[in-house]
Amino acid sequence: MNVKRILIGRPLATYEEEHQRLRKRIALPVFASDAISSTAYATDEILLVLLGQAAIGAAAWKYLSALAVVVCVLLTIVVLSYRQTIYAYPSGGGSYIVSKENLGTTPSLVANGDLSAEALKFSKGTNSLGLLLLLRAFSSGAVALSGVEAVSNGVPAFRKSESRNAALTIAMMGGVLGSCFLGTSILASHLRPYRGELDPTGLALMAQHIYGGQGVLFWIMQISTFAILILAANTAYADFPRLASIIGKDGFIPRQFANRGDRLVYSNGIVFLSVIASVLIVVFDGNVSKLIPLYAFGVFTGFTLSQAGMVRHHRRLQEPGWQWKAVVNAIGAIATGIIATVVVVSKFTQGAWIPAVLIPLMVALFKAINRHYRRLAGALRSTEDEASGEVTTTMVVLVGGLHRGTRAGVDFAKALQPDHLIAVHIAENEDAGNAFAERWTAYEPDVELDLIIDPYRNLRGVAVRFVDDVKARWDDDRVVVVIPEFVVHRWWEHLLHNQAALFLKGALLFKENVAVLSVPYQVSTPKGRKESVSL
């Protein structure tokens, strides 16, 4: 516990949440670092596509600036769209909430199964087709937009007025991102840094040229870029757990994602994100070019659904000025939809097939989880005609030996005054069983003992069958199995004892109208103190 406090700090009470909200100057690096960090590789990704084709050659540098301008125009549209989302849905949730409210619970994420087979054939020809190659390069550079939606997902994290502060933050983020990306691309078109397989990044090559080698300014540039990329992970950790909590509350993913930890954050989402990110880094060798097709399709699909949902939102409410807002959202939806299609078609063999296949499977999983929660809610729902009546109970005390733990279990069962009370002992042979029965008569004459001989020593199976026989014998409303357990005082002593009680509880858990009661008996230590490490 002390290590935990050192690592994450003291626990925060719920009423302290207001004081943990973010000012704009803190929210900007928290939520915008992901998007701004893409400046470090977005320009490179465009050049990797263009320079890889001999047919384009020197013209690649001319196309670079033009593509960067188009990306910035798209960035402006997306930022304007998400500013509208922030004001329309201040509770957060971004694309998920917009799509849910306006497009339905399960909007279409991919077209149909035939798309995959035809992307596969088409993608092999995109390297030689000029327009499609430019679209592929554009889609690579458009990853600069990834992370723009983070602010709209985390509106509740801002200080009041939440919507206004979030809208200002996303506008500042768009300005910084657009100027950095466009400036880097224009500079690259003039300096023409060549980046081969073994070369450093284009940003590093340009810094080396501008600063005259790898001097102090060069390393300041490199370290600053590295720091921003590290900070970019904070956006995902601030955003994904909060979004997962909203989806968890809706019952489409496990509801544990909606639980808050000591520091008022959604700890389960943080842990899950860490595990998945680690797996992806290992599987894809930390290669940015390999990872981009993996998430680009999902990013632009989310953009498309969000903006299409906002068009529906404006048409439904028709607030003042809704027409021009709807036009902006419609243009954005069409543009990002085209990019999502280009990504999955042109980069299908490079990894885009994974989200194209995985997203529909995830949607099916989400729906299955939601069906489980709805069935559970229906099964637990109580109606007025289900008035509590008299319940008859049979208690079965499992006794393995005659000791203080057994006495504690029997006394506890008696105190509950069941309609029927019996004890059961399972022996390996007749002699051992008869000897125990004689001792039981003297030990507890008021409680009936059922003796079972099992030469195969199958405690769990015999006990479960005995419970079934008891249910048939008395036909009571409920059978309660009492398991006396002694509790040792050191954790390692727990390893010296079998786990028969634990496995037996697991076997009886799925028996209808059967309950299991553990009656612990704390064994005193030589010094007279008691511990509570359950067997």
Side-chain angles (χ1 to χ4, degrees), residues 311-440:
V311 172
R312 189 86 175 268
H313 171 83
H314 293 312
R315 293 186 61 185
R316 179 164 52 88
L317 298 184
Q318 296 191 2
E319 297 172 334
W322 70 271
Q323 292 94 340
W324 75 266
K325 295 178 180 178
V327 170
V328 170
N329 292 137
I331 294 173
I334 294 171
T336 53
I338 291 174
I339 295 175
T341 303
V342 170
V343 168
V344 77
V345 171
S346 65
K347 295 177 178 288
F348 189 88
T349 57
Q350 300 177 357
W353 66 270
I354 297 177
V357 173
L358 190 61
I359 288 176
L361 294 178
M362 291 174 63
V363 171
L365 176 62
F366 295 159
K367 293 173 68 175
I369 292 173
N370 186 255
R371 282 195 301 271
H372 163 76
Y373 282 127
R374 285 190 284 109
R375 285 197 301 264
L376 181 62
L380 294 177
R381 187 175 295 113
S382 179
T383 58
E384 294 180 358
D385 58 347
E386 294 178 342
S388 299
E390 184 178 350
V391 177
T392 56
T393 303
T394 295
M395 280 198 168
V396 177
V397 183
L398 300 181
V399 293
L402 301 180
H403 47 67
R404 291 179 177 177
T406 300
R407 170 62 63 193
V410 172
D411 289 345
F412 184 84
K414 285 181 176 180
L416 295 179
Q417 299 180 348
D419 296 278
H420 305 97
L421 175 60
I422 57 175
V424 61
H425 175 74
I426 302 172
E428 295 182 11
N429 54 64
E430 292 281 353
D431 293 339
N434 292 333
F436 184 87
E438 291 180 6
R439 295 174 59 200
W440 179 263

Side-chain angles (χ1 to χ4, degrees), residues 260-277:
R260 290 192 177 188
D262 287 353
R263 300 287 294 177
L264 291 177
V265 295
Y266 301 99
S267 304
N268 291 326
I270 292 175
V271 173
F272 177 81
L273 181 62
S274 300
V275 172
I276 295 299

Side-chain angles (χ1 to χ4, degrees), residues 214-275:
Q214 297 185 6
V216 175
L217 293 177
F218 170 82
W219 285 110
I220 290 176
M221 176 72 177
Q222 289 292 89
I223 293 173
S224 299
T225 304
F226 175 74
I228 292 175
L229 287 168
I230 291 294
L231 185 61
N234 190 59
T235 300
Y237 282 105
D239 201 29
F240 171 78
R242 189 180 299 275
L243 178 60
S245 73
I246 296 174
I247 302 174
K249 290 175 182 177
D250 287 344
F252 289 99
I253 60 176
R255 285 184 173 153
Q256 293 92 323
F257 283 97
N259 298 337
R260 290 192 177 188
D262 287 353
R263 300 287 294 177
L264 291 177
V265 295
Y266 301 99
S267 304
N268 291 326
I270 292 175
V271 173
F272 177 81
L273 181 62
S274 300
V275 172

Side-chain angles (χ1 to χ4, degrees), residues 23 146 176-177 210 233 245 279 302 323 357 377-378 424 446 468 480:
R23 296 186 176 93
S146 63
V176 174
L177 171 59
I210 292 172
S245 73
V279 171
Q323 292 94 340
V357 173
V424 61
D446 297 333
D468 289 335
V480 180

